[in-house]
Amino acid sequence: MINGNVNEFVDALYYGTENVFVFRRYKFMIQGWWKNDKYTLYMQLWEPPVEGHDWEYTAPTPAECVDKFFHASLFDGKTFWEAEQEMEWVDD
């Protein structure tokens, strides 16, 4: 991960911290939260805005949500681990 430690980024997924990152020409925001004893992990495409490119998963634990995120082909057909070397962690 460019400009950041991938392990710290992954840790933030479990805690729900809002993080912004760029993959190729796309800027994303990802965050998580608890509601009604369930955890939701939500990723939104910020720039350029393209409808239908948001991703959300809700499960009883953060680990289940993060695992689902890791296995989803969300980045031009690649999973997070296949694409993370091209991702840049940015402050926004």
Side-chain angles (χ1 to χ4, degrees):
M1 178 162 275
I2 303 163
N3 292 331
N5 180 300
V6 71
N7 294 320
E8 291 175 11
F9 185 90
V10 169
D11 285 346
L13 297 176
Y14 290 95
Y15 293 109
T17 307
E18 180 181 293
N19 289 301
V20 178
F21 64 97
V22 175
F23 173 72
R24 298 186 178 162
R25 65 185 187 276
Y26 301 104
K27 185 182 234 180
F28 295 90
M29 180 279 304
I30 190 165
Q31 68 179 18
W33 61 84
W34 285 97
K35 184 176 180 181
N36 299 327
D37 294 325
K38 296 207 181 224
Y39 189 78
T40 297
L41 189 60
Y42 175 71
M43 184 178 73
Q44 182 179 33
L45 176 60
W46 275 3
E47 296 174 11
V50 178
E51 201 163 315
H53 278 72
D54 293 358
W55 179 88
E56 182 175 325
Y57 192 75
T58 301
T61 67
E64 290 176 69
C65 292
V66 173
D67 186 61
K68 189 73 163 184
F69 174 70
F70 286 157
H71 288 93
S73 299
L74 301 170
F75 306 101
D76 288 341
K78 295 181 177 187
T79 66
F80 173 80
W81 290 113
E82 294 168 335
E84 67 87 12
Q85 292 98 359
E86 296 181 60
M87 292 178 180
E88 180 181 5
W89 195 358
V90 297
D91 291 327
D92 199 59

